[in-house]
Amino acid sequence: MSTRGRGLHGHVLDTLGPAITAGEYPPGSVLRTDELAQHFEVSRSVMREAVRVLESMHLVESRRRVGVTVRPKAEWNVYDPQVIRWRLAGADRPHQLRSLTVLRSAIEPVAAGLAAQHATAEQCAELTECALGMVANSRGHRLGEYLVHDVAFHRVVLGASGNEMFARLGDVVAEVLTGRTQHEVMFEDPDPAAVTLHVQVAEAVRARDAVRAEELTRRITMGALEELDILAP
Amino acid sequence: MSTRGRGLHGHVLDTLGPAITAGEYPPGSVLRTDELAQHFEVSRSVMREAVRVLESMHLVESRRRVGVTVRPKAEWNVYDPQVIRWRLAGADRPHQLRSLTVLRSAIEPVAAGLAAQHATAEQCAELTECALGMVANSRGHRLGEYLVHDVAFHRVVLGASGNEMFARLGDVVAEVLTGRTQHEVMFEDPDPAAVTLHVQVAEAVRARDAVRAEELTRRITMGALEELDILAP
DNA sequence: GTGACATATAAGTCTGACTTTTTAGGGCTG
DNA sequence: CAGCCCTAAAAAGTCAGACTTATATGTCAC
């Protein structure tokens, strides 16, 4: 999934990207295209394409007579899904997870409010279906199935908001939720209160109750934040 | 500013990027690298680098024996600052402006609340300075100077939130605010109520009153939304 | 110390030849 | 006619080498 066989330059990126985002090359470090090409055993053309991509992510800057310098973290395109994935796979994963969860807590309630106003009948049905799927898998250590419906639920809400900026955060939320289940301690069944809240959000959206949908979703994201505080205080 | 002389491939991007985001090549359109290279009068290497960048933005997909196909709008990396700039410069500028303003209305209040908790003394001072600058230039058609302080104000708030995802939206907010002043009808002096709200936010942050800072900022962004509704209902 | 100038360096560009993957179509067989 | 395989073509992908350009830095004269 992460490594789509998109050629040699993709392979180079899969190694260089994580290395840079992990801080292996501190900001200001200077790399040389030729050396990198040799190290990865690819031609300069391929290496240049990889550098161009890193440059478009604002991870590095390429200047004549100097080389490829690593930019400070504050300038990175941290919304690039690829960058998010690299960072979530790296050392500052906890920090990144917190940033993204705070982002969720700002976005999702507003998105749910908008969804209550703009969701189509089909989207309402999908939402209910997802919520029911969560209920059905909330007991008996069926975490995998539960996760699928949880991710789908939030994706539908973000999509139904009618705002493309919100909709594009579906992947980010998916990464966060998946990460929580796979990497963090998640032995027990999900919090029953959270499951109930999802069902109620689905109801509120169907009932066109924007205020209620927003408030309920706020409780969901607040819960996610508290969960983080417990795991990594 | 937009055209940083970053070589030939940059020039190609400055033409091709806006063309694609403007929908000039509808989703599914197939381009051929060689033809593009001829058209832009650059070598294939340069053209390939440009295509790689567009690919990393999820604007296009390159496949063997097929060509470079334009991806559907829903898959674009709409948070990429470059993509945002291209779209703001294009035909669906109003739609884009609305999406971003809704995004602001979700993010900035939360960011202001966090800023009240985490802002350093220096950031509090900057905030006050910006607010005063806005007051000083709120009358007498000094829109340019007003804008500078307005942009700086929101940038400081987002930065002081301590959340890197929020902080990186500073550029986006700057684009929106700048665009509002430069392109939309903005003959009159800014709304005095808005100016007052900014001053009060600065006070609330300095007083560590998170709830108040959030509520006041919510009013600011609500005002921005209403302003949009008036201009483009 | 300051300025102009020369030099070395690394990115940038171009070209042509070659490889690999994948689609489309033709021809074979049932 | 349907189905299948197999060939051939098309376009991206890769590589190597030569050349250009910008620029940081050191040198020298003043």
Side-chain angles (χ1 to χ4, degrees), chain A residues 7-9 41-46 63-66:
Chain A
L8 286 185
H9 89 111
E41 295 177 314
V42 295
S43 66
R44 289 205 322 281
S45 350
V46 169
R63 275 167 55 198
R64 273 188 153 120
R65 169 62 212 239
V66 174

Side-chain angles (χ1 to χ4, degrees), chain A residues 160-183:
Chain A
S161 73
N163 183 304
E164 62 187 349
M165 303 303 287
F166 290 170
R168 277 301 284 169
L169 286 178
D171 292 342
V172 173
V173 174
E175 295 276 358
V176 173
L177 293 178
T178 303
R180 185 172 61 173
T181 301
Q182 289 185 343
H183 294 264

Side-chain angles (χ1 to χ4, degrees), chain A residues 13 22 36-37 43 48 79 81 102 124 127 134 138 158 175 177 182 198 200 202 206 213 216 229:
Chain A
L13 283 174
L36 290 174
S43 66
R48 286 179 53 77
Y79 285 90
V102 171
C124 287
L127 223 49
M134 291 175 68
S138 62
L158 290 167
E175 295 276 358
L177 293 178
Q182 289 185 343
H198 282 78
Q200 289 175 315
R206 161 164 277 175
L216 289 167
D229 286 328

Side-chain angles (χ1 to χ4, degrees), chain A residues 102-165:
Chain A
V102 171
L103 179 68
R104 282 188 61 198
S105 75
I107 297 289
E108 294 206 61
V110 177
L114 288 173
Q117 296 170 29
H118 300 127
T120 65
E122 189 186 5
Q123 287 168 327
C124 287
E126 283 184 72
L127 223 49
T128 307
E129 193 182 345
C130 292
L132 291 183
M134 291 175 68
V135 172
N137 295 286
S138 62
R139 293 183 171 277
H141 301 283
R142 323 184 84 208
L143 289 178
E145 279 304 309
Y146 178 84
L147 174 65
V148 171
H149 291 95
D150 195 8
V151 167
F153 181 93
H154 291 274
R155 212 187 275 279
V156 172
V157 169
L158 290 167
S161 73
N163 183 304
E164 62 187 349
M165 303 303 287

Side-chain angles (χ1 to χ4, degrees), chain A:
Chain A
M1 183 194 193
S2 64
T3 306
R4 300 165 285 181
R6 57 262 203 260
L8 286 185
H9 89 111
H11 177 252
V12 171
L13 283 174
D14 285 338
T15 308
L16 245 191
I20 293 175
T21 54
E24 224 163 288
Y25 303 93
S29 303
V30 178
L31 314 172
R32 251 100 30 99
T33 308
D34 288 17
E35 278 188 13
L36 290 174
Q38 276 195 358
H39 177 260
F40 288 106
E41 295 177 314
V42 295
S43 66
R44 289 205 322 281
S45 350
V46 169
M47 195 61 227
R48 286 179 53 77
E49 289 170 23
V51 168
R52 283 280 175 266
V53 172
L54 294 174
E55 201 176 24
S56 88
M57 294 168 175
H58 276 67
L59 295 184
V60 303
E61 188 179 6
S62 180
R63 275 167 55 198
R64 273 188 153 120
R65 169 62 212 239
V66 174
V68 178
T69 65
V70 178
R71 304 182 81 148
K73 196 173 166 180
E75 297 177 9
W76 297 350
N77 279 2
V78 288
Y79 285 90
D80 189 308
Q82 183 90 219
V83 173
I84 291 177
R85 245 173 280 132
W86 287 339
R87 296 185 67 192
L88 279 177
D92 61 24
R93 173 188 178 78
H95 174 256
Q96 173 76 350
L97 219 45
R98 168 168 293 275
S99 297
L100 293 175
T101 305
V102 171
L103 179 68
R104 282 188 61 198
S105 75
I107 297 289
E108 294 206 61
V110 177
L114 288 173
Q117 296 170 29
H118 300 127
T120 65
E122 189 186 5
Q123 287 168 327
C124 287
E126 283 184 72
L127 223 49
T128 307
E129 193 182 345
C130 292
L132 291 183
M134 291 175 68
V135 172
N137 295 286
S138 62
R139 293 183 171 277
H141 301 283
R142 323 184 84 208
L143 289 178
E145 279 304 309
Y146 178 84
L147 174 65
V148 171
H149 291 95
D150 195 8
V151 167
F153 181 93
H154 291 274
R155 212 187 275 279
V156 172
V157 169
L158 290 167
S161 73
N163 183 304
E164 62 187 349
M165 303 303 287
F166 290 170
R168 277 301 284 169
L169 286 178
D171 292 342
V172 173
V173 174
E175 295 276 358
V176 173
L177 293 178
T178 303
R180 185 172 61 173
T181 301
Q182 289 185 343
H183 294 264
E184 321 303 328
V185 272
M186 190 92 176
F187 305 121
E188 303 171 11
D189 285 337
D191 179 12
V195 180
T196 305
L197 281 171
H198 282 78
V199 175
Q200 289 175 315
V201 168
E203 288 171 0
V205 170
R206 161 164 277 175
R208 302 288 181 216
D209 189 339
V211 175
R212 184 167 156 78
E214 177 170 343
E215 175 56 29
L216 289 167
T217 305
R218 203 172 298 280
R219 283 194 227 165
I220 292 178
T221 55
M222 282 301 165
L225 267 177
E226 287 166 13
E227 189 179 282
L228 265 193
D229 286 328
I230 295 171
L231 291 175

Side-chain angles (χ1 to χ4, degrees), chain B residues 127-128 130-139 146 150 153-154 180 189-205 212-213 215-221 223:
Chain B
L127 223 49
T128 307
C130 291
L132 291 183
M134 290 174 69
V135 172
N137 295 286
S138 63
R139 292 183 171 279
Y146 178 85
D150 195 8
F153 181 93
H154 290 275
R180 185 173 60 174
D189 286 338
D191 178 12
V195 180
T196 306
L197 281 171
H198 282 79
V199 175
Q200 290 174 315
V201 167
E203 287 170 1
V205 169
R212 185 168 156 78
E215 176 54 29
L216 289 167
T217 305
R218 202 173 297 280
R219 283 194 227 165
I220 293 178
T221 55

